[in-house]
Amino acid sequence: MSPVVKITDVARHAGVSPSTVSYALNGKRPISEATRRRIEASIRELGYHPHAGARALAGARSHVLALVMPLRRGVDLPVVTRFAMSVVTTARRHGHDVLLLTGEEGEDGLRRVADSARADGFVVMDVQLDDRRLPLLRALRRPSVLIGLPADPAGLTCVDLDFRAAGEACVEHLALLGHRRVALLGSPPEVYARGTGYARRVADGVTAAAGRNGLTASVHPCASDPGAAPALVRRLLGADPAPTGLVVHNEALLGPLADALRAEGVRVPEDLSVVALCPDDLAERAATPLTSVSVPAAELGARAVELLIGKLGAETGPAPGLAAPDVTLLPPRLTVRSSTAPRG
Amino acid sequence: MSPVVKITDVARHAGVSPSTVSYALNGKRPISEATRRRIEASIRELGYHPHAGARALAGARSHVLALVMPLRRGVDLPVVTRFAMSVVTTARRHGHDVLLLTGEEGEDGLRRVADSARADGFVVMDVQLDDRRLPLLRALRRPSVLIGLPADPAGLTCVDLDFRAAGEACVEHLALLGHRRVALLGSPPEVYARGTGYARRVADGVTAAAGRNGLTASVHPCASDPGAAPALVRRLLGADPAPTGLVVHNEALLGPLADALRAEGVRVPEDLSVVALCPDDLAERAATPLTSVSVPAAELGARAVELLIGKLGAETGPAPGLAAPDVTLLPPRLTVRSSTAPRG
DNA sequence: GTGAAAGCGCTAACAT
DNA sequence: ATGTTAGCGCTTTCAC
């Protein structure tokens, strides 16, 4: 078994000093084209990979980002996974690896990873309106980027979908189709109770857009269990006047809802238009492909990493002008499919 | 901002030498109860966390496991996430962190992480029958555990659900209920083509159990798109004699299948019994809760990590007897819900 | 049961 | 544009 290759081996093989190899590797000072090439050749030939621990120790940067995943029930696992994938891919493009933490470890976990220099910064998913970790994140000696929008984002860097605009987009689409009466089927009550910001923001957007467009809107939190949706649908459609447009912001509801509508003999979109707020693939593969606003998990992940990398750089050199903004909200994109149609 | 606490600070505070603190920390030599206590108190008081890079450099162990996630379409994202969570939780219990890699990085990524000593070992998900990475994994200077069962597991450590037994369990359940004619709705054709072992293994199990119990079984790969299921269902139920029991091993099919059955006026379980191979929560929340065999993602993840930690230990001390087995197959567990009933 | 001291492999001054 | 060298904070012989 060949012994491990180190930087001195590369240096000797290329006929230069170790520091030159180091500088060639991380470009912190100019290297002549000729030597750089010899060094690169040696690196490839010997199969050299710098020892991560030694690098972290000497350089005070681990080149690792920590990703804090939610673990509580009720989170949308496919979205979480796509997000994580995007974080990893983007981090790699910037020469960083990703350490996976669960929300379970909580504040101690953050502190442990920060203090042990295992990671240079944090991407924190599933941030609650009044998240317990916020004070720590503000105080930590390592930068972080949050996914989600807490009540007070001051001093933090947050990225999220603009859920309010998403709610507005749904209603505006329905308004354009001539609908006058819409209902929002929202997240389960516990999601609102938990203080997750996005549920509320969608509801606000729906209400605001309805107001602006002269529509009537009602908001209905709805549990995810199979029984809840049919009951709610019957109640909604039994009202007089009944809504002719539905905005659905609860993935787990989509299936039961479709069943319930079919059972009631309600045709989509002829009798009822439905706009969903859900991942694209789910909207596409529904029996009636759904007009939807998607949660752009991949873009969110990429953006979060890029902001974090930016903050890492800003720590070293005195900030070159642009500090990371406190809040970045990505604009929603509505895709029209087959579940919405003009009223009547 | 308080300066970073190091081992010498703890040593001074506790009135001992740095080496004693180190030994107290990782128990590699006996420490008197008294000093150990003083050291622990100092550690807590000062908020000491050993520098991970320094530890890795001096100790030749990073205390990090790399988890290689699949990224291709068609994998079951919720299962992947649950698996990852379980890996992280278990790794933490053993004092390790988890580095997240995507399958995209492929063999180069594995080599990079192994050679840079960023991780001490690998957990590789979504291993194909004839996975390109197998030779590398066998040759790498770091141990690994694979999730999935390649064609030739020799020299590797593999963990998986016993999919064959799962297929058998489904059929045996139907046999006990008096069914004589069953059909397997399998994974999409591309999954079989790709050489994913589990699809084939389920089919084998179904066939074998049918044979043993004197049933007739047929196997039908089925695409995930919404149109495929209804067509297949019509064809199956139009046959004479038609199957009275269905084994469904394709999550994406479950919804469309239910729709199709309802459309055809087939009642479950009165006219047709259905057994699914899918995550429990999906089976529970179906309109008709499904009798199912679940993929025990959490157990698989925990087991994989424990095997890997075992191999890490075995590398240091001369193996204390038990080497990790090549193949560990977890037994399936079938949960009876409302979608199966005696024939007739 | 405890201490002293020599590295681990790299980076970043400080040289030239 | 390149070389020399002093650590980074820990583990681990070797000594007592």
Side-chain angles (χ1 to χ4, degrees), chain A residues 80-114:
Chain A
V80 165
T81 310
R82 270 186 267 271
F83 183 85
M85 292 297 195
S86 157
V87 165
V88 173
T89 307
T90 311
R92 283 301 309 142
R93 275 212 305 275
H94 292 269
H96 289 251
D97 275 298
V98 173
L99 201 72
L100 191 58
L101 306 180
T102 64
E104 194 171 39
E105 281 215 66
E107 308 173 61
D108 291 346
L110 293 176
R111 210 176 330 247
R112 178 180 66 79
V113 169

Short mmCIF file of all heavy atoms in Angstrom, two decimals, chain A residues 80-114:
data_model
loop_
_atom_site.label_atom_id
_atom_site.label_comp_id
_atom_site.label_asym_id
_atom_site.label_seq_id
_atom_site.Cartn_x
_atom_site.Cartn_y
_atom_site.Cartn_z
N VAL A 80 -36.61 18.98 1.48
CA VAL A 80 -35.40 19.04 2.30
C VAL A 80 -34.23 18.38 1.58
O VAL A 80 -33.11 18.91 1.55
CB VAL A 80 -35.65 18.33 3.65
CG1 VAL A 80 -34.35 18.04 4.36
CG2 VAL A 80 -36.56 19.19 4.52
N THR A 81 -34.50 17.24 0.99
CA THR A 81 -33.42 16.51 0.33
C THR A 81 -32.89 17.28 -0.87
O THR A 81 -31.69 17.41 -1.07
CB THR A 81 -33.92 15.14 -0.13
OG1 THR A 81 -34.56 14.51 0.97
CG2 THR A 81 -32.76 14.28 -0.60
N ARG A 82 -33.80 17.80 -1.67
CA ARG A 82 -33.36 18.57 -2.83
C ARG A 82 -32.52 19.76 -2.38
O ARG A 82 -31.53 20.13 -3.00
CB ARG A 82 -34.57 19.06 -3.63
CG ARG A 82 -35.00 18.08 -4.69
CD ARG A 82 -36.11 18.69 -5.54
NE ARG A 82 -37.40 18.31 -5.00
CZ ARG A 82 -38.04 17.20 -5.35
NH1 ARG A 82 -37.52 16.40 -6.23
NH2 ARG A 82 -39.20 16.91 -4.82
N PHE A 83 -32.98 20.36 -1.32
CA PHE A 83 -32.25 21.48 -0.78
C PHE A 83 -30.84 21.08 -0.38
O PHE A 83 -29.85 21.73 -0.73
CB PHE A 83 -33.02 22.04 0.41
CG PHE A 83 -32.38 23.25 0.98
CD1 PHE A 83 -32.65 24.49 0.45
CD2 PHE A 83 -31.50 23.14 2.02
CE1 PHE A 83 -32.04 25.61 0.96
CE2 PHE A 83 -30.89 24.24 2.54
CZ PHE A 83 -31.15 25.48 2.01
N ALA A 84 -30.75 19.99 0.33
CA ALA A 84 -29.44 19.52 0.80
C ALA A 84 -28.52 19.23 -0.38
O ALA A 84 -27.34 19.60 -0.39
CB ALA A 84 -29.61 18.27 1.66
N MET A 85 -29.08 18.57 -1.39
CA MET A 85 -28.29 18.25 -2.58
C MET A 85 -27.72 19.52 -3.19
O MET A 85 -26.56 19.58 -3.59
CB MET A 85 -29.15 17.55 -3.61
CG MET A 85 -29.60 16.17 -3.19
SD MET A 85 -28.19 15.06 -2.96
CE MET A 85 -29.07 13.50 -2.92
N SER A 86 -28.56 20.51 -3.27
CA SER A 86 -28.14 21.76 -3.87
C SER A 86 -27.07 22.44 -3.03
O SER A 86 -26.10 23.00 -3.55
CB SER A 86 -29.37 22.65 -4.03
OG SER A 86 -29.00 23.98 -4.11
N VAL A 87 -27.21 22.35 -1.75
CA VAL A 87 -26.18 22.92 -0.86
C VAL A 87 -24.84 22.22 -1.07
O VAL A 87 -23.80 22.87 -1.21
CB VAL A 87 -26.62 22.80 0.62
CG1 VAL A 87 -25.44 23.05 1.55
CG2 VAL A 87 -27.74 23.78 0.92
N VAL A 88 -24.90 20.91 -1.14
CA VAL A 88 -23.65 20.17 -1.32
C VAL A 88 -23.01 20.51 -2.66
O VAL A 88 -21.81 20.81 -2.73
CB VAL A 88 -23.90 18.65 -1.24
CG1 VAL A 88 -22.63 17.88 -1.61
CG2 VAL A 88 -24.37 18.26 0.14
N THR A 89 -23.80 20.49 -3.69
CA THR A 89 -23.27 20.76 -5.03
C THR A 89 -22.64 22.15 -5.10
O THR A 89 -21.53 22.32 -5.60
CB THR A 89 -24.40 20.65 -6.06
OG1 THR A 89 -25.06 19.40 -5.89
CG2 THR A 89 -23.84 20.74 -7.46
N THR A 90 -23.36 23.11 -4.58
CA THR A 90 -22.85 24.48 -4.63
C THR A 90 -21.60 24.64 -3.75
O THR A 90 -20.63 25.29 -4.14
CB THR A 90 -23.93 25.46 -4.15
OG1 THR A 90 -25.15 25.17 -4.83
CG2 THR A 90 -23.52 26.89 -4.46
N ALA A 91 -21.63 24.03 -2.60
CA ALA A 91 -20.47 24.12 -1.71
C ALA A 91 -19.23 23.53 -2.38
O ALA A 91 -18.14 24.10 -2.33
CB ALA A 91 -20.76 23.40 -0.40
N ARG A 92 -19.41 22.41 -3.04
CA ARG A 92 -18.29 21.78 -3.72
C ARG A 92 -17.72 22.69 -4.80
O ARG A 92 -16.52 22.74 -5.01
CB ARG A 92 -18.71 20.44 -4.36
CG ARG A 92 -18.85 19.29 -3.39
CD ARG A 92 -17.56 19.01 -2.63
NE ARG A 92 -16.44 18.88 -3.52
CZ ARG A 92 -15.21 19.33 -3.26
NH1 ARG A 92 -14.95 19.95 -2.14
NH2 ARG A 92 -14.25 19.15 -4.12
N ARG A 93 -18.60 23.37 -5.48
CA ARG A 93 -18.11 24.28 -6.52
C ARG A 93 -17.22 25.36 -5.92
O ARG A 93 -16.42 25.98 -6.62
CB ARG A 93 -19.30 24.94 -7.24
CG ARG A 93 -19.85 24.11 -8.37
CD ARG A 93 -20.40 25.02 -9.48
NE ARG A 93 -21.37 25.96 -8.94
CZ ARG A 93 -22.65 25.71 -8.76
NH1 ARG A 93 -23.13 24.53 -9.10
NH2 ARG A 93 -23.45 26.62 -8.26
N HIS A 94 -17.39 25.62 -4.65
CA HIS A 94 -16.58 26.63 -3.98
C HIS A 94 -15.49 25.98 -3.11
O HIS A 94 -14.97 26.62 -2.20
CB HIS A 94 -17.46 27.53 -3.12
CG HIS A 94 -18.39 28.40 -3.92
ND1 HIS A 94 -18.05 29.65 -4.34
CD2 HIS A 94 -19.62 28.16 -4.41
CE1 HIS A 94 -19.07 30.17 -5.03
NE2 HIS A 94 -20.03 29.28 -5.08
N GLY A 95 -15.23 24.71 -3.36
CA GLY A 95 -14.16 24.05 -2.64
C GLY A 95 -14.47 23.70 -1.20
O GLY A 95 -13.57 23.48 -0.40
N HIS A 96 -15.75 23.62 -0.89
CA HIS A 96 -16.12 23.27 0.48
C HIS A 96 -16.86 21.94 0.54
O HIS A 96 -17.55 21.57 -0.41
CB HIS A 96 -17.01 24.36 1.09
CG HIS A 96 -16.27 25.63 1.38
ND1 HIS A 96 -15.99 26.06 2.65
CD2 HIS A 96 -15.76 26.57 0.57
CE1 HIS A 96 -15.33 27.19 2.62
NE2 HIS A 96 -15.18 27.54 1.36
N ASP A 97 -16.71 21.26 1.65
CA ASP A 97 -17.53 20.09 1.91
C ASP A 97 -18.64 20.46 2.87
O ASP A 97 -18.65 21.57 3.43
CB ASP A 97 -16.67 18.96 2.49
CG ASP A 97 -16.00 18.14 1.40
OD1 ASP A 97 -16.75 17.53 0.60
OD2 ASP A 97 -14.77 18.10 1.34
N VAL A 98 -19.57 19.54 3.06
CA VAL A 98 -20.74 19.84 3.89
C VAL A 98 -20.89 18.83 5.01
O VAL A 98 -20.89 17.62 4.78
CB VAL A 98 -22.02 19.85 3.04
CG1 VAL A 98 -23.24 19.99 3.93
CG2 VAL A 98 -21.96 20.98 2.03
N LEU A 99 -20.98 19.34 6.20
CA LEU A 99 -21.19 18.51 7.38
C LEU A 99 -22.67 18.55 7.71
O LEU A 99 -23.28 19.62 7.74
CB LEU A 99 -20.39 19.09 8.55
CG LEU A 99 -20.09 18.16 9.70
CD1 LEU A 99 -19.04 17.15 9.26
CD2 LEU A 99 -19.59 18.94 10.90
N LEU A 100 -23.24 17.38 7.97
CA LEU A 100 -24.68 17.30 8.19
C LEU A 100 -25.00 17.25 9.68
O LEU A 100 -24.57 16.35 10.38
CB LEU A 100 -25.20 16.05 7.50
CG LEU A 100 -26.70 15.89 7.38
CD1 LEU A 100 -27.29 17.07 6.64
CD2 LEU A 100 -27.03 14.60 6.67
N LEU A 101 -25.77 18.21 10.13
CA LEU A 101 -26.22 18.20 11.53
C LEU A 101 -27.73 18.10 11.56
O LEU A 101 -28.40 18.58 10.66
CB LEU A 101 -25.81 19.50 12.23
CG LEU A 101 -24.33 19.87 12.17
CD1 LEU A 101 -24.10 21.19 12.91
CD2 LEU A 101 -23.50 18.78 12.79
N THR A 102 -28.25 17.49 12.60
CA THR A 102 -29.71 17.49 12.74
C THR A 102 -30.11 18.60 13.70
O THR A 102 -29.33 19.00 14.58
CB THR A 102 -30.23 16.17 13.31
OG1 THR A 102 -29.73 16.01 14.63
CG2 THR A 102 -29.80 15.01 12.46
N GLY A 103 -31.31 19.09 13.51
CA GLY A 103 -31.82 20.10 14.42
C GLY A 103 -31.81 19.60 15.85
O GLY A 103 -31.73 20.38 16.80
N GLU A 104 -31.86 18.30 15.99
CA GLU A 104 -31.93 17.68 17.31
C GLU A 104 -30.78 18.11 18.22
O GLU A 104 -30.94 18.28 19.42
CB GLU A 104 -31.89 16.16 17.14
CG GLU A 104 -32.28 15.40 18.38
CD GLU A 104 -32.43 13.93 18.04
OE1 GLU A 104 -31.62 13.43 17.25
OE2 GLU A 104 -33.36 13.28 18.57
N GLU A 105 -29.62 18.27 17.64
CA GLU A 105 -28.48 18.62 18.47
C GLU A 105 -28.60 20.03 19.04
O GLU A 105 -27.94 20.37 20.02
CB GLU A 105 -27.19 18.51 17.65
CG GLU A 105 -26.72 17.09 17.51
CD GLU A 105 -25.20 17.05 17.51
OE1 GLU A 105 -24.60 17.36 18.55
OE2 GLU A 105 -24.65 16.72 16.46
N GLY A 106 -29.42 20.82 18.38
CA GLY A 106 -29.74 22.13 18.92
C GLY A 106 -28.54 23.04 19.09
O GLY A 106 -27.59 23.00 18.32
N GLU A 107 -28.62 23.86 20.10
CA GLU A 107 -27.61 24.89 20.28
C GLU A 107 -26.25 24.32 20.67
O GLU A 107 -25.22 24.82 20.25
CB GLU A 107 -28.12 25.88 21.33
CG GLU A 107 -29.52 26.37 20.97
CD GLU A 107 -30.12 27.22 22.06
OE1 GLU A 107 -29.55 28.27 22.37
OE2 GLU A 107 -31.16 26.81 22.62
N ASP A 108 -26.28 23.24 21.45
CA ASP A 108 -25.00 22.63 21.83
C ASP A 108 -24.24 22.15 20.60
O ASP A 108 -23.02 22.27 20.52
CB ASP A 108 -25.24 21.45 22.78
CG ASP A 108 -25.73 21.93 24.13
OD1 ASP A 108 -25.62 23.15 24.39
OD2 ASP A 108 -26.20 21.09 24.91
N GLY A 109 -25.00 21.58 19.69
CA GLY A 109 -24.37 21.08 18.48
C GLY A 109 -23.73 22.21 17.69
O GLY A 109 -22.60 22.08 17.21
N LEU A 110 -24.43 23.30 17.57
CA LEU A 110 -23.88 24.45 16.86
C LEU A 110 -22.59 24.91 17.53
O LEU A 110 -21.58 25.16 16.89
CB LEU A 110 -24.89 25.60 16.85
CG LEU A 110 -26.17 25.36 16.04
CD1 LEU A 110 -27.11 26.53 16.19
CD2 LEU A 110 -25.82 25.16 14.58
N ARG A 111 -22.65 25.01 18.84
CA ARG A 111 -21.49 25.49 19.56
C ARG A 111 -20.32 24.51 19.42
O ARG A 111 -19.18 24.92 19.19
CB ARG A 111 -21.83 25.72 21.03
CG ARG A 111 -21.00 26.84 21.60
CD ARG A 111 -21.32 27.21 23.04
NE ARG A 111 -22.68 27.00 23.44
CZ ARG A 111 -23.54 27.98 23.75
NH1 ARG A 111 -23.15 29.24 23.63
NH2 ARG A 111 -24.73 27.69 24.18
N ARG A 112 -20.63 23.27 19.54
CA ARG A 112 -19.57 22.27 19.42
C ARG A 112 -18.87 22.36 18.07
O ARG A 112 -17.64 22.44 17.99
CB ARG A 112 -20.18 20.86 19.58
CG ARG A 112 -19.19 19.73 19.43
CD ARG A 112 -19.90 18.38 19.59
NE ARG A 112 -20.84 18.11 18.54
CZ ARG A 112 -20.51 17.67 17.33
NH1 ARG A 112 -19.25 17.47 17.03
NH2 ARG A 112 -21.43 17.44 16.44
N VAL A 113 -19.65 22.41 17.02
CA VAL A 113 -19.07 22.43 15.69
C VAL A 113 -18.32 23.74 15.44
O VAL A 113 -17.25 23.76 14.84
CB VAL A 113 -20.17 22.22 14.63
CG1 VAL A 113 -19.65 22.50 13.24
CG2 VAL A 113 -20.71 20.80 14.73
N ALA A 114 -18.87 24.82 15.93
CA ALA A 114 -18.21 26.11 15.74
C ALA A 114 -16.90 26.15 16.52
O ALA A 114 -15.85 26.51 15.97
CB ALA A 114 -19.13 27.24 16.21
#
